[in-house]
């Protein structure tokens, strides 16, 4: 059943967006147990047109999340396992000479897909990484002077393993900034884990997922999110947050202007899928940790380094 | 009202219209969608409807072709005509109109031209501006329909046109997507409601030009029924079959008995043996009526005041109640024959006020003239002989006339709408052979008999009786009430004799239907007997009469009267214009004030109210941490005091709505302030509960 969301900001449209988000949550929730906030963040990230970085240990369901998101949204899906011997051509594709026609023909790489799972991105060399990151930024691939547009929507979910850093190339801050959100998945709770153990193979269940929206509906939702009302009060709040990260002694590096923009965009998507006609401060707070967490560099020895820096910011800045 | 103005979607839409730069450039490029064209088509159908029967069929065919072409282009991508073809079509259309109508102006040719140009412009709708032009032409065509039909019946069509026109404008200005029909209708309703006060002010106060603006001369001048300046046997019979309204009368104060209702029209004095005619104008009008021609109203004899609204009939008789004392028609004058004549033929509906006494006798300007005794040579010899014989037996002139009436009453005379044909001596034929006739036969015969006995006599045509409309208390006089009676000069006065009353007294007392049941004016035999239908018909007529009286008849005189009642003495056109400007400005100022109320509120005002709520909750529940958002704080309060949960959540949601979801209006903020103001924190419900313990 593909929902069709055309116009925006009307009561019915908001209601539909919220329903859709709920449907996405329930569908994926059947496969991934007890990760509703993360599922919603991932969905909001996609709606905001950004890319998602999942940082967690292997086996917590990163791939599953990516696959089920693609399945539920009716999008094509490819997985790229990053390795240290990977070349950019392995990602974007290459031109191959064809004997029959005596011409070069472009063979699209795995990146030509709606949802791309870049697994263990920190295992590849910076050269291969940058091929992916450029494609993420430009939404197109240029090879031999020819430009190939990537499908829309184009959504990259990259994963990296925070531990076992030996032989890896961690993404520098400048590259991290290109991900709209970074989330972790974490271990399931005791009860859920029991359920997980008793239940079917999660991978088998992927086939049961039904798409709840089509590409056109998704595009309409993204338009709706972009046109959500932003009050002056809210912008005051966002600026206060950004100002704090830049001025506070707790941080070496605050939020960039792009970070601030991303924060607003993510908050808009979050507001849309929660049925708010305008962005609430709570919407900003809900996405703040995911949007800002990987862009802030706490000063060594400060309290921010010890605990969750995003939370420190939120608790220090009054809501207007 | 303020709320209405404040509606966000309305503001959105006006915004779209206002933006001069980018938006209009955007709109310029917007091609017409099928939906927008469908609305246009609907509007065109309603606007052109009233003209469809009057303009030549090829014009309508051209319009239909153009509509189909345009819709086909939108739906199936047909090619639209290019610039040169359009220019050629335009020229061809103009020539076709000139060729077909032999002119380019006037109602029929003009509306044909307008409809053709509408059809051609429709082929050229590529932008919002083009669509607006089509819509404006359609409005014009719609109101041109008013030149054809101004009755109440045209209101639904006009209203539909106005609503559709507004709808089409709204839809046409939306490049992105159509409004849903419900949304569009709501918005249209609001726009029209807001326009209503202005429209009313302009209707009442916009300076009115004297003279017939709406009343174009009726095409051809034919087809009008009514009395004329001559009468031969069968003329009034013909008239009596018509159900058309001749005029309406509203009495203020007492109204006369039906038998007293003689509406005086042409006075027919010249007789040629068969036909009765009026005297030439110079003879009639050269002789003004005596000042004291009517007997002074005796004590106890009521003077009837009435307002009479005449339908256009291309004649000059103003048809007063007999005998008129006063009339307020500036160009009306009373001739020596006691005919009240207007200067010009009535080519449009006209209303005047008069006063009359209901008497059947009065003095004339002068003694009767030879023409009143003329028997047209030796015409109708048997009648003349009969008259002389009867007169010899009678004791006096009055006795003689009584005998004649008795003859009509007691011998085998019949009152019928289907009189047999009469030979070359019509009065003889009627009196001695057919003995069946309508009022004109009796009036004519009676006048001849009177003249034959040496008494000056004449026939008066007019209307007698009428139907009282109980719904709105006025009288409807139809062509079927047309009547003819006789006046005889006795003792220095003209005395009315109505021989029809001798034959068919019901006709005089209760009207034609009573006298000739099933024969007269029975145009709807199936429904004729239904009381319900009769009542509906009367209500409908009352509605039409009200509409005529208060809306259509509203002209410069009524406007002046209105202003005089407001204290402006003998207002000039300038005064009217000034009053109009002042009123319209006042309406606009009121709108602006409402608009201000629904305009954006001071941004910090909402927050002040929220802080007030937070302080109150801080005292009795727990203070809000500065970094807590409204929803978070409400949730925290609800945790501590579940009894307050719903209210506080609602208030927080309201605050979020005002502060973060829209630009609040002054009225919104006032309501929020009241909500917070009336919020009281009751003491904790149970001392043992968790919330109570915390306190």
């Amino acid at each position: 059943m593909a929902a069709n969301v055309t116009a925006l900001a009307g009561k019915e449209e908001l209601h539909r967006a919220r329903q859709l988000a709920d449907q996405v949550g329930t569908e994926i929730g059947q496969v991934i147990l007890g990760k509703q906030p993360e599922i919603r963040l991932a969905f909001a990230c996609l709606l905001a047109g950004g890319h998602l970085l999942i940082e967690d240990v292997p086996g917590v369901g990163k791939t599953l999340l990516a696959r089920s998101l693609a399945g539920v949204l009716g999008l094509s899906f490819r997985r790229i396992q990053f390795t240290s011997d990977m070349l950019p051509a392995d990602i974007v594709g290459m031109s191959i000479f064809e004997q029959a026609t005596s011409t070069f023909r472009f063979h699209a790489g795995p990146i030509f897909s709606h949802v791309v799972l870049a697994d263990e991105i920190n295992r590849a060399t910076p050269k291969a990484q940058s091929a992916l990151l450029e494609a993420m930024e430009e939404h197109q691939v240029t090879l031999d002077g020819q430009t190939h547009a990537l499908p829309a929507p184009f959504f990259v979910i990259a994963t990296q393993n925070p531990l076992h850093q030996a032989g890896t190339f961690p993404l520098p801050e400048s590259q991290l900034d290109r991900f709209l959100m970074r989330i972790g998945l974490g271990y399931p709770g005791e009860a859920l884990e029991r359920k997980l153990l008793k239940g079917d193979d999660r991978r088998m269940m992927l086939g049961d997922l039904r798409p709840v929206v089509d590409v056109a509906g998704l595009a309409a939702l993204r338009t709706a999110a972009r046109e959500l009302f932003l009050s002056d009060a809210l912008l005051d709040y966002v600026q206060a947050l950004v100002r704090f990260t830049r001025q506070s002694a707790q941080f070496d590096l605050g939020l960039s202007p792009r970070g601030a923009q991303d924060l607003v965009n993510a908050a808009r998507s979050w507001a849309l899928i929660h049925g708010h006609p305008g962005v609430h401060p709570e919407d900003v707070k809900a996405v703040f940790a995911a949007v800002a967490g990987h862009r802030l560099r706490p000063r060594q020895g400060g309290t921010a380094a010890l605990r969750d820096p995003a939370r420190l910011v939120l608790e220090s800045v009054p809501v207007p | 009202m303020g709320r209405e103005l404040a509606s966000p979607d309305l503001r959105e839409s006006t915004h779209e219209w206002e933006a001069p730069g980018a938006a209009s450039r955007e709109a310029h490029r917007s091609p017409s969608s099928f939906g927008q064209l469908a609305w246009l088509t609907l509007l065109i159908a309603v606007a052109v409807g009233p003209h469809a029967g009057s303009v030549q069929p090829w014009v309508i065919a051209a319009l239909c072709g153009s509509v189909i072409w345009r819709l086909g282009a939108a739906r199936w991508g047909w090619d639209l005509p290019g610039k040169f073809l359009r220019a050629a079509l335009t020229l061809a259309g103009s020539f076709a109109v000139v060729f077909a109508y032999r002119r380019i102006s006037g109602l029929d040719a003009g509306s044909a031209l307008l409809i053709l140009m509408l059809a051609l412009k429709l082929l050229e709708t590529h932008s919002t501006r083009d669509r607006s032009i089509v819509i404006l032409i359609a409005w014009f065509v719609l109101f041109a329909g008013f030149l054809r039909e101004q009755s109440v019946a045209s209101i639904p069509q006009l209203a539909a046109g106005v609503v559709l026109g507004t709808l089409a404008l709204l839809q046409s200005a939306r490049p992105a997507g159509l409004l849903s029909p419900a949304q569009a209708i709501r918005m249209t309703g609001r726009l029209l409601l807001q326009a209503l006060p202005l429209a009313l002010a302009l209707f009442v106060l916009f300076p009115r030009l004297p003279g017939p603006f709406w009343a174009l001369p009726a095409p051809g001048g034919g087809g009008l029924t009514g009395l004329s300046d001559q009468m031969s046997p069968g003329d009034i019979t013909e008239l009596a079959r018509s159900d058309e309204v001749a005029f309406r009368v509203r009495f203020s104060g007492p109204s006369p008995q039906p038998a007293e209702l003689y509406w005086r029209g042409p006075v027919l004095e010249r007789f040629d043996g068969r036909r009765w005619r009026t005297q030439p104008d110079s003879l009639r009008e050269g002789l003004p009526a005596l000042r004291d021609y009517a007997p002074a109203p005796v004590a106890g004899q009521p003077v009837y005041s009435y307002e009479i609204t005449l339908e256009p009939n291309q004649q000059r008789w103003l048809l007063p109640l007999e005998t008129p004392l006063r009339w307020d028609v500036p160009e009306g004058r009373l001739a020596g024959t006691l005919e009240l004549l207007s200067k010009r033929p009535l080519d449009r509906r006209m209303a005047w006020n008069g006063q009359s006494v209901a008497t059947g006798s009065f003095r004339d300007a002068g003694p009767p003239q030879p023409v009143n005794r003329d028997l047209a040579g030796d015409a109708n010899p048997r009648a003349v002989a009969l008259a002389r014989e009867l007169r010899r037996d009678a004791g006096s002139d009055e006795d003689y006339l009584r005998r004649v009436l008795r003859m009509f009453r007691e011998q085998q005379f019949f009152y019928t709408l289907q009189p047999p044909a009469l030979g070359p001596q019509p009065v003889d034929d009627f009196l001695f052979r057919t003995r069946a006739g309508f009022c004109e036969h009796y009036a004519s015969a009676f006048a001849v008999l009177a003249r034959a006995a040496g008494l000056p006599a004449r026939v008066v045509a007019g209307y007698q009786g009428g139907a009282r409309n109980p719904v709105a208390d006025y009288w409807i006089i139809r062509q079927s009430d047309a009547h003819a009676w006789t006046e005889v000069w006795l003792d220095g006065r003209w005395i009315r004799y109505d021989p029809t009353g001798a034959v068919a007294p019901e006709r005089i007392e209760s009207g034609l239907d009573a006298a000739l049941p099933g024969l007269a004016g029975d145009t709807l035999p199936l429904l004729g007997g239904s009381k319900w239908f009769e009542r509906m018909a009367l209500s409908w007529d009352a509605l039409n009469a009200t509409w005529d009286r208060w809306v259509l008849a509203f002209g410069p005189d009524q406007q002046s009267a209105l202003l005089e009642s407001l204290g402006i003495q003998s207002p000039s056109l300038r005064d009217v214009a000034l009053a109009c400007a002042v009123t319209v400005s006042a309406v606009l100022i009121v709108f602006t004030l409402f608009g201000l109320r629904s305009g954006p509120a001071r941004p910090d005002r909402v927050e002040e109210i929220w802080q007030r709520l937070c302080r109150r909750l801080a005292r009795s529940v727990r203070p809000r941490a500065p970094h807590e958002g409204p929803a978070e704080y409400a949730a925290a309060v609800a945790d501590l005091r579940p009894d307050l949960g719903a209210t506080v959540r609602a208030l927080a949601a309201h605050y979020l709505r005002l502060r973060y979801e829209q630009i609040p209006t002054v009225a919104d903020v006032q309501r929020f302030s009241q909500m917070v103001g009336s919020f009281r924190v009751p003491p904790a419900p149970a001392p043992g509960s968790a919330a109570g313990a915390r306190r």
Side-chain angles (χ1 to χ4, degrees):
Chain A
M1 183 201 65
N4 185 18
V5 186
T6 45
L8 62 129
K11 268 210 172 70
E12 295 122 55
E13 281 76 14
L14 280 171
H15 181 67
R16 229 177 298 166
R18 187 180 176 166
Q19 247 182 356
L20 203 62
D22 288 346
Q23 275 176 325
V24 169
T26 348
E27 285 286 320
I28 302 181
Q30 292 170 2
V31 181
I32 303 167
L33 301 175
K35 295 289 170 209
Q36 282 303 319
E38 287 78 9
I39 294 168
R40 277 173 182 271
L41 277 173
F43 186 42
C45 180
L46 186 148
L47 280 185
H51 303 284
L52 180 67
L53 178 65
I54 305 181
E55 206 170 68
D56 219 325
V57 293
V60 289
K62 298 187 289 260
T63 315
L64 214 50
L65 175 62
R67 292 200 94 125
S68 47
L69 203 56
V72 165
L73 301 179
L75 302 173
S76 57
F77 174 79
R78 295 292 278 278
R79 174 164 182 254
I80 311 173
Q81 177 65 53
F82 278 54
T83 54
S84 53
D85 57 353
M86 188 165 224
L87 293 172
D90 296 329
I91 302 169
V92 298
M94 62 184 86
S95 293
I96 293 174
F97 186 74
E98 286 199 343
Q99 294 282 347
T101 55
S102 301
T103 48
F104 281 96
R105 217 178 124 229
F106 177 67
H107 282 249
I111 200 168
F112 285 86
S113 182
H114 287 123
V115 178
V116 176
L117 176 65
D119 221 356
E120 297 195 271
I121 187 172
N122 54 346
R123 295 225 168 271
T125 55
K127 192 173 180 180
Q129 285 175 359
S130 67
L132 175 74
L133 294 167
E134 271 173 40
M136 280 163 56
E137 193 68 16
E138 309 293 331
H139 285 246
Q140 62 187 30
V141 168
T142 305
L143 200 78
D144 300 333
Q146 265 196 312
T147 303
H148 307 276
L150 291 169
F154 176 59
F155 182 48
V156 172
I157 302 177
T159 71
Q160 68 176 355
N161 190 338
L163 308 171
H164 312 294
Q165 297 285 346
T168 63
F169 305 89
L171 294 170
E173 278 89 359
S174 61
Q175 304 285 42
L176 279 176
D177 208 23
R178 302 210 170 161
F179 288 94
L180 179 72
M181 289 188 191
R182 181 193 67 178
I183 60 172
L185 285 176
Y187 297 120
E190 289 284 331
L192 288 175
E193 184 135 35
R194 171 65 67 98
K195 203 171 163 193
L196 200 66
L197 293 174
K198 277 163 102 179
D200 295 328
D201 183 359
R202 297 286 131 182
R203 278 170 214 287
M204 306 290 279
M205 293 170 69
L206 277 175
D208 297 341
L209 286 181
R210 290 171 302 123
V212 296
V213 68
D214 58 12
V215 173
L218 211 54
L221 275 179
R222 295 172 83 152
T223 319
R226 266 203 301 281
E227 298 186 13
L228 227 50
F229 183 76
L230 276 180
S231 61
D232 286 340
L234 185 98
L235 292 175
D236 287 346
Y237 180 52
V238 169
Q239 284 191 303
L241 287 171
V242 172
R243 202 180 311 121
F244 181 83
T245 64
R246 293 178 191 164
Q247 291 175 353
S248 163
Q250 303 282 345
F251 298 103
D252 280 339
L253 188 64
L255 276 179
S256 64
R258 173 161 55 189
Q261 262 178 320
D262 284 356
L263 179 58
V264 170
N265 285 339
R268 274 178 158 150
S269 297
W270 188 263
L272 180 76
I273 62 178
H274 289 83
H276 302 157
V279 182
H280 295 178
E282 279 88 350
D283 298 326
V284 175
K285 291 174 110 174
V287 298
F288 185 78
V291 175
H294 59 293
R295 306 177 204 236
L296 297 172
R297 199 192 317 149
R299 180 159 295 166
Q300 288 302 311
T303 35
L306 302 177
R307 33 181 291 207
D308 183 357
R311 198 165 154 200
L312 178 96
V313 177
L314 287 178
E315 289 185 354
S316 313
V317 177
V319 174
Chain B
M1 178 65 97
R3 208 38 226 156
E4 299 284 283
L5 281 164
S7 74
D9 44 352
L10 191 60
R11 241 185 288 136
E12 243 170 56
S13 76
T14 44
H15 177 72
E16 259 176 37
W17 287 27
E18 274 165 9
S24 68
R25 237 176 292 124
E26 184 65 30
H28 213 79
R29 264 184 276 119
S30 98
S32 304
S33 71
F34 187 78
Q36 289 170 329
L37 289 168
W39 283 109
L40 276 187
T41 305
L42 214 57
L43 168 66
I44 289 171
V46 170
V48 173
H51 300 279
S54 318
V55 296
Q56 294 179 6
W58 62 270
V59 177
I60 302 298
L63 177 67
C64 290
S66 149
V67 165
I68 292 168
W69 194 348
R70 189 63 188 89
L71 287 177
R75 169 112 314 168
W76 297 290
W78 298 353
D79 282 337
L80 283 173
K83 203 182 286 176
F84 292 107
L85 182 52
R86 286 202 306 267
L89 282 173
T90 309
L91 267 178
S94 312
F95 279 123
V97 169
V98 175
F99 183 75
Y101 288 92
R102 309 268 161 221
R103 56 195 294 189
I104 200 101
S105 62
L107 184 50
D108 282 338
S111 42
L113 190 70
L114 259 179
I115 293 170
L116 269 187
M117 294 305 137
L118 179 63
L120 287 170
K121 185 66 199 174
L122 191 63
L123 293 178
E124 202 189 36
T125 43
H126 305 301
S127 65
T128 306
R129 183 177 159 276
D130 289 336
R131 289 191 294 274
S132 302
I133 290 175
V134 170
I135 293 167
L136 289 180
I137 304 177
W139 282 98
F140 201 86
V141 172
L142 181 72
F143 291 122
F146 211 60
L147 296 173
R148 300 187 187 277
E149 172 70 55
Q150 310 168 21
S151 73
V152 183
S154 64
I155 294 180
Q157 181 256 342
L158 212 58
V162 168
V163 169
L164 276 174
T166 316
L167 265 175
L169 264 178
L170 274 178
Q171 298 289 32
S172 149
R174 296 192 69 87
L178 293 189
L179 296 164
S180 76
Q183 261 180 320
I185 286 169
R186 262 202 308 276
M187 211 186 275
T188 301
R190 239 174 345 223
L191 280 173
L192 291 179
L193 270 183
Q194 285 166 13
L196 196 62
L198 268 186
L200 279 179
L202 287 172
F203 174 81
V204 174
L205 291 171
F206 193 82
R208 299 267 172 162
L209 298 173
F213 178 67
W214 295 118
L216 293 180
L224 290 169
T225 50
L227 298 173
S228 72
D229 56 358
Q230 51 176 291
M231 179 191 89
S232 33
D235 280 358
I236 293 189
T237 320
E238 199 54 48
L239 215 50
R241 296 175 196 276
S242 162
D243 230 7
E244 247 174 75
V245 173
F247 56 99
R248 295 181 176 84
V249 180
R250 184 182 300 270
F251 287 100
S252 51
S255 49
Q257 294 301 308
E260 290 179 311
L261 294 171
Y262 279 87
W263 309 99
R264 192 173 175 88
V267 174
L268 310 161
E269 295 182 300
R270 288 162 61 193
F271 181 57
D272 64 359
R274 178 181 190 87
R275 186 176 309 168
W276 292 85
R277 289 174 210 263
T278 55
Q279 295 262 58
D281 284 358
S282 54
L283 274 178
R284 274 188 298 169
E285 293 178 49
L287 209 62
L290 291 178
R291 283 203 158 275
D292 55 347
Y293 68 92
V298 200
Q301 186 185 30
V303 176
Y304 299 112
S305 302
Y306 52 88
E307 182 194 86
I308 176 164
T309 310
L310 297 163
E311 296 295 315
N313 55 19
Q314 303 297 344
Q315 301 291 352
R316 296 166 53 214
W317 293 282
L318 292 173
L319 302 167
L321 181 67
E322 195 169 271
T323 307
L325 297 176
R326 261 181 279 287
W327 50 93
D328 72 347
V329 193
E331 294 183 334
R333 63 184 294 280
L334 196 66
T337 48
L338 231 64
E339 287 163 276
L340 189 57
L341 292 161
S342 94
K343 205 165 172 181
R344 274 191 298 271
L346 302 176
D347 54 5
R348 56 181 172 137
R349 190 177 281 114
M350 183 203 160
W352 59 277
N353 291 292
Q355 286 188 336
S356 295
V357 285
T359 54
S361 69
F362 42 82
R363 292 168 62 193
D364 205 337
Q369 297 146 18
V371 71
N372 295 124
R373 301 173 196 268
D374 185 16
L375 282 167
D378 53 359
N380 305 306
R382 294 179 69 187
V384 174
L386 171 72
R388 300 216 166 117
E389 189 190 324
L390 278 174
R391 179 65 190 89
R392 262 201 308 280
D393 300 346
S396 67
D397 289 340
E398 275 178 308
D399 183 40
Y400 162 69
L401 294 173
R402 259 199 305 279
R403 277 165 193 255
V404 174
L405 289 179
R406 199 186 312 138
M407 174 186 81
F408 283 145
R409 182 160 49 239
E410 290 174 358
Q411 297 188 17
Q412 290 286 307
F413 281 94
F414 299 99
Y415 183 63
T416 174
L417 258 179
Q418 284 136 339
L422 299 175
Q425 305 287 354
V427 177
D428 278 3
D429 241 20
F430 169 67
L431 282 176
F432 300 101
R433 189 171 63 84
T434 66
R435 297 201 148 196
F438 203 55
C439 58
E440 73 260 39
H441 299 89
Y442 291 95
S444 171
F446 191 83
V448 166
L449 291 175
R451 285 185 180 186
L455 296 168
R458 61 193 186 189
V459 172
V460 181
Y463 297 85
Q464 200 282 322
R468 188 170 158 274
N469 188 338
V471 180
D473 194 27
Y474 64 93
W475 293 77
I476 307 168
I477 290 92
R478 300 176 186 280
Q479 296 298 353
S480 54
D481 295 313
H483 191 52
W485 60 93
T486 316
E487 279 172 3
V488 184
W489 179 263
L490 281 175
D491 306 329
R493 293 193 163 274
W494 286 104
I495 314 262
R496 178 174 70 218
Y497 282 88
D498 191 349
T500 310
V503 187
E506 321 79 69
R507 163 67 185 90
I508 307 304
E509 276 148 28
S510 323
L512 192 59
D513 283 348
L516 295 169
L519 272 178
D522 207 351
T523 47
L524 290 162
L526 283 178
L527 296 162
S530 153
K531 276 267 172 271
W532 179 85
F533 177 78
E534 197 179 307
R535 196 162 168 82
M536 286 308 290
L538 285 173
S539 303
W540 178 243
D541 194 85
L543 190 66
N544 258 308
T546 313
W547 171 251
D548 291 346
R549 193 169 169 217
W550 294 110
V551 181
L552 295 185
F554 191 85
D557 301 340
Q558 285 78 358
Q559 199 168 43
S560 302
L562 183 82
L563 286 179
E564 268 169 16
S565 73
L566 293 176
I568 302 172
Q569 293 305 315
S570 55
S572 66
L573 202 62
R574 199 170 131 261
D575 295 334
V576 177
L578 198 67
C580 182
V582 167
T583 313
V584 168
S585 311
V587 171
L588 288 178
I589 286 172
V590 169
F591 271 5
T592 315
L593 288 180
F594 270 117
L596 283 184
R597 217 175 100 75
S598 58
R602 215 153 33 93
D604 44 359
R605 184 77 189 104
V606 185
E607 204 201 340
E608 275 169 28
I609 302 168
W610 168 247
Q611 295 295 357
R612 180 147 46 98
L613 177 69
C614 290
R615 278 197 300 276
R616 199 168 298 163
L617 286 169
R619 276 196 300 274
S620 46
V621 187
R622 96 159 174 51
R624 181 177 78 96
H627 67 266
E628 270 180 321
E632 288 171 308
Y633 180 50
V637 169
D639 264 358
L640 294 174
R641 286 287 301 273
D643 58 316
L644 295 181
T647 321
V648 174
R649 270 183 218 272
L651 285 171
H654 203 100
Y655 169 65
L656 280 169
R657 202 150 49 238
L658 294 187
R659 190 97 198 277
Y660 292 102
E661 293 178 4
Q662 63 190 34
I663 297 169
T665 67
V666 177
D668 288 339
V669 173
Q670 270 176 8
R671 199 162 34 249
F672 182 47
S673 175
Q674 281 162 9
M675 281 168 73
V676 169
S678 62
F679 173 70
R680 295 275 171 277
V681 185
S689 77
R694 261 174 220 272
R695 258 186 107 204

